[in-house]
Amino acid sequence: MMLSLLIALPLVGALVVAFLPGRPGDVLPKWVALAFSLATLVVGAIIGIANADSGKTWAEEHTWIEPIGAHWALAVDGLGVTMVLLTVLLVPVVIGASWHDADARNTRGFFALMLVVESLALAVFCAQDVFLFYLVFEATLIPAYFLIGSFGHGPARTAAAVKFLLYMLAGGLVMLASVVALYAFSAREGAASYLISDLSGLTLSTNEERLLFLGFFLAFAIKAPLFPFHTWLPDTTGNATPGTSVLLICVLDKIGTYGMLRFCLELFPGASEWATPVVVGLALISIVYGALLALGQDDLLVLTGLTSLSHFGFIVLGIFVLNDQGVSGATFYMLNHGLATAVLFLAAGYLITRTGTPLLSQMGGVEKKAPVLAALLLLGGLGTLGLPGLSPFASEFLVMLGAFQYAWWVGAIAVTGIVLAAAYVLRAYRLAVTGPERESLAGIRDVGAREVAVVAPLVALMLLLGFAPQLALSVINPSSLRTVEIAGCVETAEQPCIQATEEVRP
């Protein structure tokens, strides 16, 4: 029952926070939300430690809706536990960093919605039943919509929330068709079920498998986001609070790449191999195009969001080169992107609060007045560009190894994304904090103890995993190898792990 407890804790916390008495700005809802998020962190850590020591999956399975073969089925492997640990770590960090973001609005509602996001995200990463996964996948849109539209700071926050919702609903409706088709195909074989373990043995024709794959992949590509389904991203990050952007980009968007690994590769391996050339092409476009957009961006929050378009391109590339290094690197990248981008978003938020503007052209000259803030922004930027010694470097390196093994020209194009990352990070840092001191910013203050304390664990983890990446890879590698094996790959130095499947897959 540990996984059910993990999911229930933040949900109970959200209900408690929502019904607390008080007015906007009261501190009690904040402390209660933080306490529940820390309790969830403890449960998540217990699950993670047990998984690392013994590979324990904490599996739970109970019949839920018997007529349609739906189950309350939960389990975590190396991939799932990595995402669980990232989620339970980031939520208390975001709560601490967003301490005053809703003081003039509905404080209880703001922090309750954050806990709802945590509960639903954890359910997604633990679900082993496709119907359960779909329900919580769609349910994440509700708190996300209100966090953007009701609590965002941008002038177009309502329009951004609607655009976000429409994109996600469109992807979800396409995936629903595939979910229903999976039920029909399983019933055709005499035992209707939504359990992933049952569906992995379905007999599908080539066309059936490819159509099911496309339904799932489109929803995940929008969620990730992947070019050309990314246009909701800059609007959202430019209008949401930095803490909300962390939850959206560093947690909820990982559902897209998690789904590609868990469903596309494991349930539809033949179709995944068939789609690989196109998906690799889209990933390369995302890497380069996202970096170029970030390089020319003046809004610091939008710039940070666009860096994720490039980074999700790297993650998708690692997944679909279909070899050990690529898949392990992509999973590790999902973790490291969450750490580095969270630091960058939160440091950007601290800076914008002090300067009163998100525009780089109106910042500058604050490094002498706020050296700690400048250091946090630099650390987030260096993590984003994959500096050796910080954990994103190891995951980026593994993805590049997988890309070069797939085809030398794929790796060569992907390298340009790394070069451009250095350019947009250093440009943003130069414009944001260096240069002559502006008279309008003469009274700026440095970050306080609370602001440093909430970001410090993320920085410490980037350093720890940068020098000891095996701490994470030892957990990730077994599930990555299993995924590659399910995809039917036989890896050699001379032959990429891609084989088209045209026959009916037993």
Side-chain angles (χ1 to χ4, degrees):
M1 298 296 290
M2 286 292 286
L3 293 179
S4 292
L5 175 63
L6 179 75
I7 295 166
L9 262 177
L11 192 59
V12 171
L15 291 173
V16 172
V17 170
F19 289 102
L20 284 173
R23 297 171 298 177
D26 283 353
V27 72
L28 182 59
K30 306 174 186 180
W31 282 112
V32 173
L34 182 61
F36 272 96
S37 67
L38 290 174
T40 307
L41 174 59
V42 171
V43 176
I46 292 171
I47 293 170
I49 291 170
N51 183 279
D53 289 343
S54 62
K56 189 172 183 178
T57 60
W58 300 94
E60 302 175 23
E61 184 180 317
H62 309 282
T63 300
W64 179 25
I65 309 175
E66 188 172 358
I68 63 171
H71 297 75
W72 178 260
L74 308 173
V76 287
D77 56 3
L79 170 62
V81 81
T82 300
M83 294 299 97
V84 164
L85 290 175
L86 177 64
T87 303
V88 298
L89 173 64
L90 287 182
V91 171
V93 167
V94 168
I95 289 174
S98 306
W99 205 249
H100 298 295
D101 283 359
D103 280 357
R105 303 182 190 180
N106 184 348
T107 307
R108 293 172 297 164
F110 182 67
F111 289 101
L113 286 171
M114 286 189 171
L115 291 174
V116 173
V117 168
E118 180 177 26
S119 177
L120 295 174
L122 291 171
V124 167
F125 295 133
C126 296
Q128 297 297 304
D129 179 276
V130 175
F131 186 79
L132 173 62
F133 173 88
Y134 177 77
L135 285 184
V136 288
F137 174 89
E138 291 289 81
T140 59
L141 303 183
I142 300 171
Y145 171 81
F146 286 109
L147 283 172
I148 300 165
S150 299
F151 296 97
H153 287 174
R157 59 181 181 270
T158 302
V162 171
K163 187 175 184 178
F164 166 82
L165 186 65
L166 290 176
Y167 265 75
M168 298 303 159
L169 283 176
L173 288 173
V174 174
M175 186 168 73
L176 177 60
S178 290
V179 170
V180 173
L182 274 176
Y183 173 80
F185 292 140
S186 66
R188 181 179 66 186
E189 298 189 1
S193 174
Y194 276 117
L195 286 174
I196 295 175
S197 56
D198 293 337
L199 295 174
S200 61
L202 278 182
T203 300
L204 300 172
S205 70
T206 298
N207 288 336
E208 288 171 346
E209 185 180 3
R210 290 176 180 179
L211 288 172
L212 290 173
F213 167 87
L214 289 174
F216 278 90
F217 178 80
L218 180 62
F220 297 145
I222 294 172
K223 193 79 169 178
L226 186 69
F227 176 91
F229 311 108
H230 67 284
T231 55
W232 61 268
L233 177 64
D235 296 311
T236 300
T237 56
N239 289 280
T241 66
T244 297
S245 292
V246 171
L247 292 181
L248 292 175
I249 307 302
C250 301
V251 177
L252 293 186
D253 285 0
K254 296 298 189 306
I255 296 171
T257 46
Y258 171 86
M260 292 178 191
L261 285 164
R262 178 68 74 221
F263 296 94
C264 293
L265 264 60
E266 294 190 12
L267 293 184
F268 317 116
S272 298
E273 293 175 349
W274 162 74
T276 289
V278 173
V279 178
V280 166
L282 293 177
L284 291 175
I285 294 172
S286 293
I287 290 170
V288 178
Y289 182 60
L292 289 173
L293 288 178
L295 188 59
Q297 183 54 240
D298 189 41
D299 188 305
L300 182 55
L301 290 177
V302 174
L303 184 154
T304 305
L306 288 170
T307 65
S308 293
L309 173 60
S310 184
H311 291 308
F312 274 103
F314 275 106
I315 297 171
V316 174
L317 178 63
I319 293 170
F320 278 88
V321 294
L322 297 177
N323 54 47
D324 297 348
Q325 291 90 343
V327 173
S328 291
T331 305
F332 195 25
Y333 209 127
M334 290 162 69
L335 171 63
N336 291 324
H337 170 267
L339 299 176
T341 303
V343 174
L344 189 57
F345 261 123
L346 297 179
Y350 295 161
L351 181 61
I352 291 167
T353 299
R354 285 157 174 77
T355 59
T357 177
L359 301 180
L360 293 169
S361 57
Q362 298 179 18
M363 296 181 183
V366 302
E367 60 181 349
K368 293 181 180 179
K369 295 285 188 177
V372 179
L373 173 55
L376 289 178
L377 191 68
L378 182 60
L379 280 169
L382 293 177
T384 297
L385 65 84
L387 182 75
L390 297 177
S391 57
F393 171 76
S395 51
E396 203 166 69
F397 185 77
L398 284 171
V399 169
M400 294 305 302
L401 281 179
F404 275 106
Q405 181 179 326
Y406 175 77
W408 69 267
W409 58 269
V410 170
I413 294 174
V415 165
T416 63
I418 299 174
V419 177
L420 290 171
Y424 64 65
V425 166
L426 295 177
R427 169 186 173 272
Y429 181 80
R430 176 180 63 83
L431 293 174
V433 300
T434 65
E437 181 179 319
R438 293 177 179 268
E439 292 184 6
S440 59
L441 303 178
I444 193 172
R445 60 181 177 83
D446 209 347
V447 288
R450 173 185 59 83
E451 294 164 313
V452 173
V454 296
V455 177
L458 306 182
V459 175
L461 267 178
M462 282 200 297
L463 290 169
L464 175 63
L465 296 178
F467 286 96
Q470 197 58 34
L471 291 174
L473 289 173
S474 62
V475 176
I476 291 169
N477 284 338
S479 63
S480 298
L481 289 171
R482 173 180 168 274
T483 300
V484 171
E485 289 173 359
I486 290 173
C489 300
V490 179
E491 185 179 338
T492 66
E494 295 79 16
Q495 180 63 39
C497 177
I498 303 296
Q499 299 176 12
T501 301
E502 295 294 339
E503 302 298 326
V504 175
R505 180 171 57 86

